[in-house]
Amino acid sequence: MAKKPQLTTSAGSPVASNETSQTAGERGPVLLQDYQLVEKLAHQNRERIPERVVHAKGWGAQGTFTVTHDITKYTCADIFSEIGKKTEVLSRWSTVAGESGAADTERDVRGFSLKFYTEQGNWDMVGNNTPIFFIRDGFKFPDFIRTQKRHPKTNLRSPEAMFDFWAAHPECVHQVTILMSDRGIPVSPMHMNGYGSHTFSMWNKDGERYWVKFHFKTQQGIKNYTNETSENIIGSTREKYQEELYSAIDEGNFPKWTMYIQAMPEEEAGKQDYNPFDLTKVWPHDDYPLIEVGELEMNRNPDNYFQMIENAAFSPSNVVPGIGFSPDKMLQARIFSYADAHRYRLGTHYEALPANAPKNAKVNHYHKDGAMRFFTNDFGNPDAYYEPNQHEGPVADEGVKEPPLRIDGDADRYYQADEDIDYVQPRALYNLFSDDQKQRLYKNYAAAMGPCSDSVKARWYAVLEKVHPDYAAGVKNAVESLDTDVNTVPITENTPIEDN
Ligand code: NDP
């Protein structure tokens, strides 16, 4: 048998005992000089970092992205430079509202984040399992999230707050429709699609810009749970996704997704009935068909969950030459707030951590000190610590410059005054649903809206009425027949087992 490695202190010194405290006599007291005891307890006290305010509960894996189709017409990004090119990827999927111990199979939107370790640095695709979002302006984000989290007095989630906010923002109805539909509780991260959701941009070697949407379609098929099944599952395990994802990868059943883009020539933006930079809208497939790009395969469980998944810091600000932003207001807000959340959660130099450090590109920057400054700027010359300098320090490369973005001075350029515009796409989605899907949609609403006040219910029915009268009527009927039709027994009605 191989000799076991020697246990050491965190300073590397051999440890004589890891079993008992050092005491003055046989029965105590414990000595303050027992530094290993102090160190052990102090370390345990510091094992948690602040959990993410949103997307706290997550599951992740490592894998590979392979280009299968040529999209160099749209982008000069190195990751897409040739068919067959492979790039290492880190993924993290998550629920949005629940805390880090929340049950996996709750009704919620799922985060779908990918970090591509490209040769031009890391590209983060920080999306969701829905092609849209509740709101279109980051200014509303803190208020929106407040309604999804716990009430300050009751410390409970508040359906009243959720539907009060949604009713005040009719653009939410598109995303709420998906949330209350079958897709609101995926069977696992492997059984859902991922979408970049925002409009991003790409530019090619000739400097032509396209607006793009990213789609990752599951090859496992979309599969979802009903409320009832999910409640049963939560009763037996809160970690369903972690168990299934880990086992699938461990057993060699690697989940896969096919990547597509939708591409819109730069000058076409503004010619649609809808704002193509509005995060509450999709681009209809008929107008902008899916263009196949490649395959994503997640094939490795991280050796240390905390190191690779809890420490993972995804941010839409991480783009690479050939991929860029768009005027999407929510995207612009996230470019700031995601990186800022990681600075707070992980520390100033969070991008030097193993999960976040580029694996296939050298990092050369002049940022200096701060938490986690455990790396050097190894330019080969310690005098090159400012810019510009007379030494051989790194310099910017104009060759990777993005083509200029034409802004014509009209701040409302993409604004549409059409009052119906927020209802057109939810209506198209509602019309896609089969009768059975509609019945489940109504029941899911009833379970969610049951505790709401009559005034909030009435305001939400008015929003649904504008999408489709049948939609409003179906939900209203389900809510009104709640006690007989819907399995929403309050916890106080469960019969306790009493002590004899
Ligand atoms: P299409 O008929 O071409 O596309 C409909 C799309 O809806 C499908 O491709 C599928 O997208 C998605 N879908 C199907 N069933 C459901 C469901 N139960 N819940 C959520 N999404 C579902 O029409 P359009 O492109 O004109 O879109 C019509 C509506 O479909 C949109 O208003 C939007 O609500 C929804 N949708 C559109 C998407 C798009 O990018 N165009 C993407 C997703 C939804 P997928 O294959 O991506 O699962």
Side-chain angles (χ1 to χ4, degrees):
M1 206 168 87
K3 194 165 176 265
K4 289 186 179 178
Q6 192 175 48
L7 183 73
T8 72
T9 66
S10 47
S13 166
V15 169
S17 166
N18 195 34
E19 299 289 332
T20 51
S21 311
Q22 208 178 57
T23 53
E26 201 179 313
R27 288 178 290 174
V30 172
L31 299 180
L32 184 59
Q33 74 162 25
D34 188 356
Y35 183 69
Q36 284 319 306
L37 171 66
V38 174
E39 178 80 345
K40 202 167 175 176
L41 297 177
H43 257 279
Q44 187 186 27
N45 287 342
R46 288 160 179 77
E47 279 177 5
R48 297 289 171 274
I49 56 175
E51 72 170 33
R52 294 161 167 90
V53 175
V54 282
H55 297 275
K57 180 70 188 283
W59 323 274
Q62 291 161 279
T64 313
F65 173 73
T66 308
V67 178
T68 55
H69 292 72
D70 181 10
I71 58 160
T72 54
K73 173 180 166 194
Y74 305 104
T75 179
C76 58
D78 176 72
I79 175 176
F80 302 117
S81 59
E82 56 183 306
I83 292 175
K85 191 174 176 83
K86 291 184 186 297
T87 300
E88 208 177 325
V89 180
L90 177 73
S91 69
R92 183 175 184 272
W93 303 279
S94 51
T95 44
V96 179
E99 292 89 0
S100 63
D104 291 350
T105 59
E106 289 183 353
R107 181 169 297 281
D108 199 351
V109 171
R110 266 59 177 173
F112 194 111
S113 296
L114 301 169
K115 189 181 286 293
F116 296 85
Y117 299 100
T118 90
E119 289 173 37
Q120 291 177 308
N122 292 349
W123 170 44
D124 290 358
M125 208 288 317
V126 197
N128 279 328
N129 70 330
T130 61
I132 50 163
F133 195 62
F134 297 92
I135 47 173
R136 53 176 157 243
D137 190 334
F139 208 87
K140 300 267 183 192
F141 193 73
D143 292 295
F144 165 62
I145 290 303
R146 207 149 288 152
T147 68
Q148 300 292 304
K149 306 290 278 193
R150 292 173 187 271
H151 185 280
K153 185 169 181 189
T154 64
N155 199 32
L156 296 168
R157 305 276 295 279
S158 169
E160 178 80 357
M162 293 178 203
F163 280 92
D164 183 28
F165 183 90
W166 289 335
H169 300 86
E171 70 267 29
C172 289
V173 71
H174 198 185
Q175 178 79 321
V176 178
T177 303
I178 296 181
L179 177 64
M180 295 298 158
S181 81
D182 290 348
R183 291 196 186 188
I185 315 181
V187 159
S188 87
M190 300 177 283
H191 298 91
M192 62 191 199
N193 290 344
Y195 304 87
S197 309
H198 295 287
T199 297
F200 290 87
S201 56
M202 284 183 160
W203 70 90
N204 62 22
K205 65 175 176 13
D206 298 322
E208 294 160 334
R209 178 186 278 110
Y210 291 83
W211 306 115
V212 292
K213 295 269 196 192
F214 299 113
H215 300 249
F216 292 83
K217 290 213 189 193
T218 173
Q219 293 183 16
Q220 291 67 243
I222 294 191
K223 291 188 188 158
N224 307 296
Y225 286 130
T226 60
N227 274 5
E228 291 77 8
T229 313
S230 125
E231 280 163 19
N232 287 337
I233 289 169
I234 292 172
S236 63
T237 174
R238 300 169 65 78
E239 316 294 340
K240 183 84 172 154
Y241 287 11
Q242 183 66 25
E243 289 162 5
E244 293 200 352
L245 178 71
Y246 187 91
S247 303
I249 294 176
D250 202 43
E251 289 160 11
N253 300 321
F254 303 140
K256 293 180 186 164
W257 286 261
T258 309
M259 176 182 172
Y260 301 87
I261 57 167
Q262 287 176 292
M264 178 191 293
E266 181 174 14
E267 59 283 0
E268 275 184 29
K271 295 185 177 157
Q272 300 75 13
D273 298 336
Y274 56 89
N275 173 356
F277 305 116
D278 179 343
L279 183 57
T280 66
K281 308 286 179 289
V282 296
W283 295 356
H285 291 134
D286 277 351
D287 299 348
Y288 296 97
L290 297 180
I291 300 162
E292 196 164 341
V293 181
E295 185 177 83
L296 179 71
E297 178 188 90
M298 304 317 294
N299 48 30
R300 194 148 60 93
N301 284 314
D303 289 334
N304 185 307
Y305 177 90
F306 185 92
Q307 181 196 34
M308 293 307 287
I309 306 302
E310 192 60 16
N311 272 350
F314 300 90
S315 173
S317 51
N318 282 342
V319 288
V320 291
I323 302 175
F325 308 129
S326 84
D328 177 338
K329 286 195 274 189
M330 273 296 284
L331 172 60
Q332 298 274 326
R334 289 177 80 216
I335 289 167
F336 159 73
S337 73
Y338 275 58
D340 189 56
H342 301 313
R343 279 180 214 113
Y344 163 70
R345 195 172 65 84
L346 297 166
T348 312
H349 291 286
Y350 67 91
E351 288 194 290
L353 289 167
N356 306 321
K359 294 186 190 301
N360 297 303
K362 192 156 176 345
V363 176
N364 291 321
H365 62 65
Y366 289 95
H367 304 312
K368 206 163 174 283
D369 304 335
M372 292 193 291
R373 181 65 209 226
F374 52 77
F375 55 96
T376 55
N377 284 356
D378 54 351
F379 313 146
N381 185 344
D383 293 331
Y385 63 96
Y386 53 88
E387 232 278 286
N389 61 63
Q390 60 180 328
H391 311 291
E392 297 304 310
V395 290
D397 173 5
E398 278 224 4
V400 299
K401 195 165 131 187
E402 184 175 354
L405 177 63
R406 283 180 287 280
I407 300 207
D408 58 14
D410 177 357
D412 286 339
R413 175 175 168 176
Y414 300 109
Y415 176 74
Q416 273 98 25
D418 179 354
E419 272 203 5
D420 193 43
I421 200 68
D422 288 328
Y423 306 104
V424 171
Q425 295 195 356
R427 191 176 303 135
L429 180 62
Y430 177 76
N431 286 331
L432 276 176
F433 293 156
S434 66
D435 285 346
D436 283 353
Q437 285 176 315
K438 284 179 184 163
Q439 292 306 319
R440 288 194 294 272
L441 174 77
Y442 305 151
K443 278 184 77 175
N444 295 337
Y445 261 112
M449 291 182 78
C452 293
S453 65
D454 288 346
S455 67
V456 161
K457 283 177 186 160
R459 284 166 53 218
W460 187 247
Y461 298 151
V463 172
L464 298 184
E465 182 77 26
K466 291 187 178 170
V467 178
H468 200 297
D470 293 352
Y471 188 0
V475 173
K476 193 162 184 272
N477 284 340
V479 173
E480 284 171 358
S481 53
L482 195 58
D483 290 338
T484 48
D485 284 344
V486 179
N487 178 17
T488 53
V489 185
I491 198 139
T492 45
E493 288 183 18
N494 286 337
T495 314
I497 301 167
E498 290 183 29
D499 224 349
N500 289 326

